Amino acid sequence: MGRINIAIDGPSAAGKSTIAKMLGSRLNYIHLDSGAMYRCTAYKADQMGLDIEDEAAICKMLEDTSIVLTENGDVILDGTCVSKEIRTDAISQLASRVSKLEKVRADLVARQMEMAKDKGFIMDGRDIGTVVLKDAEVKVFLTATARARAMRRLKQNNDQQIATSDLETIEKEIEERDYRDTHRAASPLKKADDAVEIDSSNLCAEEVLDAIYALVLEKIQKEDF
């Protein structure tokens, strides 16, 4: 069976990374979590005490920054695993702010394109199907209501013992991030014209996985990859 690239876009906490990891395991594809790269950028800038909206300073920081996404899902920042540290609500908000910086996006998008220049990758984020992998054979726009996403984020944080806010605060933060992501000047969050939209509000992870897997099989069989 031939290999393709798969782009999964959508708002914060829609379950993109979870589904991408599950799909990667089923297809034996590599999952590239683009959002983790923005989280790493925000995390390092915060650790260095940089102004999160100082584009020049953050771009300078990135010149000496290594971000590696491993096949088993670990996120390595400058040689140190930060998979858990970058998943807090606070870093999520900082990542949204740093992602508005056009030159920062250009740097990270170039890295993402280099990572996925071959086939057999699943990349999730907010501008994958529209910018990073415009030629991806399968594009999905995964969404859900703000309340459903807040409930998932709260459960995820509690399960992983990550410091978290209450449900109402998380929902408000998600709505604020949605606004920033859809209104930013550089690569705003939007559904690609050729993407299939899936609302996961009332679906379990396995149901979403099966729906996307069916799209992938249909594409591979139709194109005879």
Short mmCIF file of all heavy atoms in Angstrom, two decimals, residues 48 56 60 81 84 88 104 124 134 143 153 162 167 178 181 185 191 215 218 224:
data_model
loop_
_atom_site.label_atom_id
_atom_site.label_comp_id
_atom_site.label_asym_id
_atom_site.label_seq_id
_atom_site.Cartn_x
_atom_site.Cartn_y
_atom_site.Cartn_z
N MET A 48 13.27 31.96 29.58
CA MET A 48 14.33 32.96 29.42
C MET A 48 13.88 34.36 29.85
O MET A 48 14.69 35.29 29.86
CB MET A 48 14.80 32.99 27.97
CG MET A 48 15.52 31.72 27.52
SD MET A 48 15.96 31.78 25.74
CE MET A 48 17.11 33.18 25.72
N ALA A 56 11.50 39.94 17.36
CA ALA A 56 12.94 39.92 17.09
C ALA A 56 13.68 39.05 18.10
O ALA A 56 14.56 38.26 17.74
CB ALA A 56 13.49 41.34 17.09
N LYS A 60 15.55 35.48 17.34
CA LYS A 60 16.95 35.33 17.71
C LYS A 60 17.14 34.08 18.57
O LYS A 60 18.11 33.33 18.38
CB LYS A 60 17.43 36.57 18.46
CG LYS A 60 18.89 36.54 18.88
CD LYS A 60 19.81 36.58 17.68
CE LYS A 60 21.27 36.66 18.11
NZ LYS A 60 22.20 36.62 16.95
N CYS A 81 13.73 16.38 27.21
CA CYS A 81 12.33 16.04 26.98
C CYS A 81 11.44 16.98 27.78
O CYS A 81 11.57 17.09 29.01
CB CYS A 81 12.05 14.59 27.39
SG CYS A 81 10.33 14.08 27.12
N LYS A 84 5.77 16.93 28.98
CA LYS A 84 4.78 17.28 30.00
C LYS A 84 4.78 18.78 30.29
O LYS A 84 3.72 19.40 30.44
CB LYS A 84 5.05 16.50 31.29
CG LYS A 84 4.01 16.73 32.37
CD LYS A 84 4.27 15.84 33.58
CE LYS A 84 3.22 16.06 34.66
NZ LYS A 84 3.44 15.16 35.83
N THR A 88 0.84 22.60 29.88
CA THR A 88 0.04 23.31 30.87
C THR A 88 -0.86 24.34 30.18
O THR A 88 -0.62 24.76 29.05
CB THR A 88 0.93 24.04 31.89
OG1 THR A 88 1.65 25.07 31.21
CG2 THR A 88 1.91 23.07 32.56
N VAL A 104 8.18 34.21 13.32
CA VAL A 104 8.29 32.99 14.11
C VAL A 104 7.59 31.85 13.37
O VAL A 104 8.12 30.73 13.25
CB VAL A 104 7.67 33.18 15.51
CG1 VAL A 104 7.58 31.84 16.24
CG2 VAL A 104 8.51 34.17 16.32
N ASP A 124 -0.61 17.60 12.57
CA ASP A 124 -1.78 18.33 13.05
C ASP A 124 -1.39 19.72 13.51
O ASP A 124 -0.26 19.96 13.93
CB ASP A 124 -2.48 17.56 14.17
CG ASP A 124 -1.68 17.54 15.47
OD1 ASP A 124 -0.82 16.65 15.63
OD2 ASP A 124 -1.92 18.41 16.33
N LYS A 134 -0.01 21.85 1.92
CA LYS A 134 -1.10 22.19 1.02
C LYS A 134 -1.40 21.06 0.03
O LYS A 134 -2.51 20.99 -0.50
CB LYS A 134 -0.79 23.49 0.27
CG LYS A 134 -0.80 24.72 1.15
CD LYS A 134 -0.74 25.99 0.36
CE LYS A 134 0.64 26.21 -0.24
NZ LYS A 134 0.75 27.55 -0.88
N THR A 143 -13.23 19.56 14.69
CA THR A 143 -13.72 20.60 15.58
C THR A 143 -14.63 20.00 16.65
O THR A 143 -14.93 18.80 16.64
CB THR A 143 -14.47 21.69 14.78
OG1 THR A 143 -14.79 22.78 15.65
CG2 THR A 143 -15.75 21.14 14.17
N ARG A 153 -10.08 18.81 27.92
CA ARG A 153 -8.82 19.37 28.40
C ARG A 153 -8.70 19.20 29.92
O ARG A 153 -7.62 18.85 30.43
CB ARG A 153 -8.74 20.85 28.03
CG ARG A 153 -7.51 21.61 28.54
CD ARG A 153 -6.19 21.06 28.06
NE ARG A 153 -6.05 21.03 26.62
CZ ARG A 153 -5.75 22.08 25.86
NH1 ARG A 153 -5.57 23.27 26.40
NH2 ARG A 153 -5.60 21.94 24.56
N ILE A 162 -1.40 17.41 35.49
CA ILE A 162 -0.91 18.71 35.06
C ILE A 162 -1.72 19.79 35.76
O ILE A 162 -2.95 19.69 35.85
CB ILE A 162 -1.03 18.88 33.53
CG1 ILE A 162 -0.13 17.87 32.82
CG2 ILE A 162 -0.69 20.30 33.09
CD1 ILE A 162 -0.29 17.84 31.32
N LEU A 167 -13.32 24.13 35.02
CA LEU A 167 -13.94 23.94 33.71
C LEU A 167 -14.33 25.26 33.06
O LEU A 167 -14.05 25.48 31.87
CB LEU A 167 -15.18 23.05 33.85
CG LEU A 167 -15.95 22.77 32.56
CD1 LEU A 167 -15.07 22.01 31.57
CD2 LEU A 167 -17.23 21.98 32.86
N ASP A 178 -9.50 30.58 20.47
CA ASP A 178 -10.17 30.46 19.17
C ASP A 178 -10.20 31.80 18.45
O ASP A 178 -9.94 31.88 17.24
CB ASP A 178 -11.62 29.96 19.35
CG ASP A 178 -11.70 28.48 19.70
OD1 ASP A 178 -10.67 27.79 19.63
OD2 ASP A 178 -12.81 28.03 20.04
N ASP A 181 -6.68 32.72 17.26
CA ASP A 181 -6.21 31.86 16.18
C ASP A 181 -6.92 32.14 14.86
O ASP A 181 -6.32 32.02 13.79
CB ASP A 181 -6.40 30.39 16.55
CG ASP A 181 -5.44 29.93 17.64
OD1 ASP A 181 -4.48 30.67 17.93
OD2 ASP A 181 -5.66 28.84 18.21
N ALA A 185 -3.15 37.71 11.76
CA ALA A 185 -2.82 38.08 10.39
C ALA A 185 -2.05 36.98 9.67
O ALA A 185 -2.25 36.75 8.47
CB ALA A 185 -2.01 39.38 10.38
N LYS A 191 -10.62 26.33 7.76
CA LYS A 191 -10.75 25.04 7.09
C LYS A 191 -10.28 25.16 5.65
O LYS A 191 -10.68 26.07 4.93
CB LYS A 191 -12.22 24.59 7.13
CG LYS A 191 -12.51 23.32 6.36
CD LYS A 191 -14.00 23.06 6.34
CE LYS A 191 -14.35 21.92 5.39
NZ LYS A 191 -15.81 21.74 5.26
N LEU A 215 -11.42 7.62 5.34
CA LEU A 215 -11.05 8.61 4.33
C LEU A 215 -9.69 8.27 3.71
O LEU A 215 -9.50 8.38 2.50
CB LEU A 215 -10.98 10.01 4.94
CG LEU A 215 -12.29 10.65 5.40
CD1 LEU A 215 -12.00 11.96 6.12
CD2 LEU A 215 -13.23 10.88 4.22
N GLU A 218 -9.97 5.17 1.44
CA GLU A 218 -10.66 5.54 0.21
C GLU A 218 -9.72 6.27 -0.74
O GLU A 218 -9.71 6.00 -1.96
CB GLU A 218 -11.87 6.44 0.52
CG GLU A 218 -12.64 6.88 -0.71
CD GLU A 218 -13.78 7.83 -0.36
OE1 GLU A 218 -13.84 8.31 0.79
OE2 GLU A 218 -14.60 8.11 -1.26
N ASP A 224 -4.83 4.57 -6.20
CA ASP A 224 -3.97 3.41 -6.46
C ASP A 224 -2.51 3.73 -6.14
O ASP A 224 -1.60 3.53 -6.94
CB ASP A 224 -4.07 2.95 -7.92
CG ASP A 224 -3.41 1.59 -8.13
OD1 ASP A 224 -3.35 0.84 -7.16
OD2 ASP A 224 -2.98 1.32 -9.27
#
